[in-house]
Amino acid sequence: MEFDLSAVETATLVFIGTLVFALVLVLFVAAAAFAALVLVGVGRLAWLIVAGTLVGLVHGINDSWDRLVHHASTVELPGDFQGQPSPSTGTYPRVALRDS
């Protein structure tokens, strides 16, 4: 049995065409929204990775500096520097600073 479109009224065809067009628009908007959500998620993940790396790098530098300073405070300098003139100015005595 064949379906004859000439038997269908024009208003019905316009109504069906409008519904199909609306469905195409809804699918396009849904796909665009999904793509936007994916891009926002990827951007947030990238930001978390970069921020975590930078925070870890800063903490590593701080810990390394802290270890270096505490190690330098335990080193005994040979000789007595009190009373010797400083080679740069020639007037002030050299002072060995320690972390207290």
Side-chain angles (χ1 to χ4, degrees), residues 15-33:
F15 179 72
I16 292 172
T18 303
L19 289 179
V20 170
F21 185 71
L23 180 65
V24 168
L25 285 178
V26 165
L27 291 176
F28 176 76
V29 169

Side-chain angles (χ1 to χ4, degrees), residues 2-4 7-8 25 29 35 40 50 62-63 66 68 80 83 85 88 93:
E2 291 185 24
F3 184 72
D4 185 17
V8 181
L25 285 178
V29 169
V40 167
V50 168
N62 285 341
D63 289 340
D66 194 39
L68 179 70
D80 183 20
S88 61

Side-chain angles (χ1 to χ4, degrees), residues 6-94:
S6 62
V8 181
E9 290 187 25
T10 305
T12 305
L13 290 175
V14 169
F15 179 72
I16 292 172
T18 303
L19 289 179
V20 170
F21 185 71
L23 180 65
V24 168
L25 285 178
V26 165
L27 291 176
F28 176 76
V29 169
F34 182 72
L37 285 173
V38 167
L39 288 175
V40 167
V42 168
R44 173 125 172 104
L45 179 65
W47 169 250
L48 288 176
I49 290 171
V50 168
T53 303
L54 288 177
V55 166
L57 183 66
V58 168
H59 282 298
I61 291 171
N62 285 341
D63 289 340
S64 299
W65 180 255
D66 194 39
R67 265 188 266 125
L68 179 70
V69 167
H70 284 296
H71 174 70
S73 69
T74 61
V75 173
E76 292 294 329
L77 296 174
D80 183 20
F81 293 109
Q82 297 294 330
Q84 291 182 0
S86 174
S88 61
T89 61
T91 57
Y92 297 104
R94 185 183 297 182

